[in-house]
């Protein structure tokens, strides 16, 4: 192979830099400079290339313009109202509750509402409500308690990931548009968001099936019992249960 | 009509510049910020690249980008105290506005789609519509909340700072993509892949592209970074060049990358953070739960890309 393999230095820098958790923006800039250098550009040419590439891709950061509206909505109770809505889902089984949360999270994604779901929803609402729903229908073993936590995080991740590409001003959508544009294939954010909708629906269906199976697993986990307040603080000494 | 499109688009970039500039000035004045001078410099330099991008010589913007990178590297960007309102204020807002509080966000998406389908601005309609819809939605939110102007400005600043430098990452990666393309990284990667993947088989190309997206994401923990590299190297030559619809292929490649995010410890915010937040005993409990689901979704996406894009 010829020396042109050297241009992969940028890819190597990205991988190593991200693995070592160095400052990501600096890593990307260094990768760009190194790649341009080994491809034979002079330093002034590199500055020119970087400046033009940055300016041509400003549309990728257009989502910033949506932030004041979201921030203002938050300041006047957006999250508090979301909690009110989620609390109405009380009577569901754990799996059905998680399915509903996944779909709600996808919808907020499609409408560009940026919430850091793990901190603001999963820890204070989703996990406690799932655990309470599980405790309503059967004895919850320590192994299942662990699974309920994992499934709560999963519902957030699936809803978040597969919802966001349905929003025209999502940074991921704008990056797809910017990248394809730079490579000579002009597409619009609306087209990308629209083409993402089928996968959003499929992800919701697959998640629903997954949570339905989870409900069945939980029900097999213990005998039905009358509602008793759960005691999440009960310590359990088993470290890792094997399965 | 379509000739004023680019000018209007430039005006939206000036608006982004104003938004970033506000954050820069407010950072400078915010004495609770431990690094207020470097923080202000970071946002103000960014603001200049947006507001004056069309008139600055490219090499000047290049110099500014290096300076911005240096400020980020030196951990010079911090946040001071930000106005989030008190819990009582937010609760009062929720009681007053109820679910109407979601209206501005819904309006944003609706207006953006409406404008881009109806507006006669040619190719820039899509991006332009985001700018117009953002302004309109902010107007709706302002009218509904009846917030004082100072609060509106403070909120825009708060969210920009909370999204932070990492929010600029997609644009840095898009820039890197351009550098990769002009340096021929795509060709080198595709030459390497060509030995393994038959060049005239759309199915093989789709599989290689999706697997590449997932694997690269697993390694670096970031789908956006993977998208830049893998699309230039595999997506274009092995899928889109064979006639795959760029829209469908681009959209599905990104979500194929998300399947990698679901199974990698490198994506700490999604897979390690909940383990800590929920006090789980198994460090990889979330990843273990997500792996089967990620595998199913991945296979579906490969099939969908193959059957839908060709």
């Amino acid at each position: 192979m010829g020396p042109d393999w050297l241009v992969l230095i940028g890819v190597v820098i990205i991988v190593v830099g991200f693995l070592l958790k160095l400052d990501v923006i600096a890593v990307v800039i260094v990768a760009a400079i190194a790649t341009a250098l080994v491809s034979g550009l002079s330093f002034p040419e590199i500055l020119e290339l970087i400046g033009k590439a940055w300016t041509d891709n400003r549309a990728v950061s257009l989502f910033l313009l949506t932030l004041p509206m979201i921030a203002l909505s938050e300041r006047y109770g957006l999250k508090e109202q979301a909690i009110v809505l989620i609390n109405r889902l009380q009577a569901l089984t754990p799996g059905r509750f998680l399915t509903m949360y996944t779909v709600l999270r996808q919808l907020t994604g499609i409408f560009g509402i940026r919430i850091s779901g793990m901190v603001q929803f999963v820890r204070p609402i989703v996990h406690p409500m799932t655990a309470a729903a599980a405790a309503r229908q059967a004895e919850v073993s320590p192994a299942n308690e662990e699974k309920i936590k994992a499934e709560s995080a999963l519902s957030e991740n699936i809803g978040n990931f597969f919802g966001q590409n349905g929003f025209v001003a999502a940074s991921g959508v704008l990056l797809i548009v910017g990248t394809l544009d730079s490579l000579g294939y002009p597409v619009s954010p609306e087209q990308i968001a629209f083409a993402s909708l089928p996968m959003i629906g499929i992800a919701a269906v697959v998640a629903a099936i997954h949570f339905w199976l989870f409900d069945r697993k939980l029900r097999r986990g213990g005998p039905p019992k009358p509602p008793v307040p759960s005691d999440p603080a009960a310590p359990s000494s088993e470290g890792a249960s094997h399965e | 009509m379509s000739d004023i499109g680019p000018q209007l688009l430039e005006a939206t970039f000036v608006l982004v510049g104003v938004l970033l500039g506000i954050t820069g000035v407010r950072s400078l004045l915010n004495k609770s910020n431990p690094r207020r001078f470097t923080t202000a410099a970071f946002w103000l330099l960014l603001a200049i690249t947006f507001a004056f991008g069309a008139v600055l010589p490219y090499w000047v913007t290049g110099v500014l980008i290096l300076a911005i990178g240096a400020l980020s590297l030196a951990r010079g960007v911090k946040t001071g105290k930000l106005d989030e309102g008190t819990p009582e204020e937010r609760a009062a807002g929720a009681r007053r506005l109820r679910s109407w509080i979601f209206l501005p966000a819904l309006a944003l998406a609706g207006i953006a789609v409406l404008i881009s389908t109806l507006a006669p601005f040619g190719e820039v309609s899509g991006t332009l519509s985001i700018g117009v819809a953002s302004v309109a939605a902010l107007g709706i939110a302002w009218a509904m909340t009846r917030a004082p102007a100072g609060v509106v400005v403070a909120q825009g600043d708060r969210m920009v700072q909370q999204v932070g430098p990492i929010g600029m990452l997609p644009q840095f990666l898009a820039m890197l993509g351009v550098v990769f393309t002009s340096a021929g990284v795509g060709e080198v990667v595709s030459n390497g892949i060509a030995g393994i993947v038959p060049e005239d088989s759309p199915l093989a190309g789709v599989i290689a592209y999706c697997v590449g997206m997932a694997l690269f994401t697993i390694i670096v923990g970031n789908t956006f970074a993977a998208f830049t590299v893998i699309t230039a190297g595999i997506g274009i030559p092995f899928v889109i060049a064979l006639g795959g619809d760029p829209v469908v292929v681009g959209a599905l490649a990104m979500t194929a990358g998300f399947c990698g995010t679901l199974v990698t410890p490198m994506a700490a915010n999604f897979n390690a953070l909940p383990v800590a937040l929920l006090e789980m005993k198994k460090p990889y409990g979330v990843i273990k739960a997500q792996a089967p689901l990620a595998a199913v979704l991945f296979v579906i996406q490969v099939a969908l890309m193959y059957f839908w894009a060709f």
Side-chain angles (χ1 to χ4, degrees), chain B residues 243-267:
Chain B
D245 179 354
V247 172
V248 173
V249 171
L252 288 174
M254 189 65 98
T255 43
F258 289 154
C259 292
T261 316
L262 289 171
V263 297
T264 177
M266 288 295 289

Side-chain angles (χ1 to χ4, degrees), chain B residues 4-131:
Chain B
I4 66 159
Q7 285 172 26
L8 286 175
L9 185 60
E10 196 57 41
T12 64
F13 293 139
V14 173
L15 272 186
V16 176
V18 170
L19 180 67
L20 294 169
I22 288 173
T23 291
V25 172
R26 287 178 58 94
S27 301
L28 190 62
L29 301 175
N30 190 343
K31 297 230 168 63
S32 71
N33 186 336
R35 308 288 304 271
R36 64 189 173 115
F37 293 105
T38 47
T39 303
F42 179 88
W43 295 113
L44 287 172
L45 293 182
L46 270 177
I48 292 170
T49 68
F50 276 87
F52 305 109
V55 290
L56 283 180
Y58 288 135
W59 68 267
V60 175
T61 304
V63 172
L64 294 179
I65 295 305
L66 296 198
I68 289 164
L71 287 165
S72 176
L73 181 64
R75 309 269 180 228
V77 188
K78 304 271 182 232
T79 49
K81 234 170 88 57
L82 301 169
D83 167 29
E84 298 186 81
T86 64
E88 292 74 31
E89 285 173 326
R90 293 200 301 271
R95 272 196 306 277
R96 177 162 66 89
L97 297 165
R98 297 172 190 272
S99 289
W100 289 104
I101 192 68
F102 297 110
L103 180 70
L106 300 181
L108 173 74
I111 295 171
V113 172
L114 206 66
I115 292 182
S116 69
T117 32
L118 301 180
F121 299 121
E123 269 183 19
V124 301
S125 292
T127 36
L128 184 54
S129 66
I130 294 165

Side-chain angles (χ1 to χ4, degrees), chain A residues 133-155:
Chain A
R136 265 203 306 274
Q137 63 179 35
E139 194 89 44
V140 180
S141 67
N144 278 345
E145 269 176 28
E146 187 84 352
K147 279 194 197 123
I148 288 167
K149 291 176 178 176
E151 297 293 330
S152 304
L154 176 151
S155 74

Side-chain angles (χ1 to χ4, degrees), chain A residues 56-131:
Chain A
D56 287 347
N57 277 295
R58 282 176 295 168
V60 172
S61 297
L62 265 187
F63 75 93
L64 289 170
L65 277 184
T66 67
L67 298 183
M69 178 274 292
I70 296 293
L72 192 58
S73 302
E74 274 186 17
R75 174 73 169 64
Y76 286 85
L78 179 103
K79 279 176 204 157
E80 284 70 13
Q81 185 61 23
I83 291 168
V84 169
L85 294 186
I86 293 172
N87 276 330
R88 289 195 190 143
L89 304 176
Q90 292 254 359
L92 299 175
T93 64
R96 283 184 201 155
F97 172 74
L98 289 174
T99 302
M100 290 298 297
Y101 180 71
T102 303
V103 172
L104 277 177
R105 195 66 179 81
Q106 287 186 326
L107 288 176
T108 60
I110 290 173
F111 294 108
I113 298 174
R114 306 173 60 86
I115 46 180
S116 160
M118 286 298 172
V119 177
Q120 288 154 345
F121 285 96
V122 175
R123 161 88 206 209
I125 309 167
V126 178
H127 169 248
M129 286 187 65
T130 313

Side-chain angles (χ1 to χ4, degrees), chain A residues 206-221:
Chain A
V206 172
I209 295 170
H210 173 88
F211 289 133
W212 177 72
L213 292 172
F214 179 59
D215 263 351
R216 281 185 27 167
K217 248 183 254 168
L218 277 182
R219 272 199 296 273
R220 279 202 307 259

Side-chain angles (χ1 to χ4, degrees), chain B residues 112-210:
Chain B
V113 172
L114 206 66
I115 292 182
S116 69
T117 32
L118 301 180
F121 299 121
E123 269 183 19
V124 301
S125 292
T127 36
L128 184 54
S129 66
I130 294 165
V132 178
S134 299
V135 174
L138 177 62
I140 295 172
W142 195 352
M144 278 175 46
T145 58
R146 285 172 262 149
V151 171
V152 179
V153 172
Q155 290 311 306
D157 170 34
R158 169 175 74 87
M159 195 64 109
V160 168
Q161 296 214 43
Q162 283 178 346
V163 169
I166 209 69
M168 305 308 299
L169 183 62
Q171 193 177 344
F172 280 99
L173 289 168
M175 174 206 77
L176 180 66
V178 175
V179 175
F180 276 176
T181 306
S182 64
V185 171
E187 286 142 57
V188 174
V189 172
S190 38
N191 288 344
I193 299 286
I196 315 165
V197 179
E199 269 172 88
D200 48 1
S201 158
L203 180 61
V206 164
I207 293 173
Y209 188 24
C210 293

Side-chain angles (χ1 to χ4, degrees), chain B residues 262-289:
Chain B
L262 289 171
V263 297
T264 177
M266 288 295 289
N269 282 347
F270 305 113
N271 299 332
L273 175 71
V275 168
L277 276 178
L278 300 174
E279 292 153 37
M280 292 174 63
K281 297 182 192 73
K282 301 177 197 163
Y284 299 120
V286 173
I287 290 178
K288 205 177 134 200

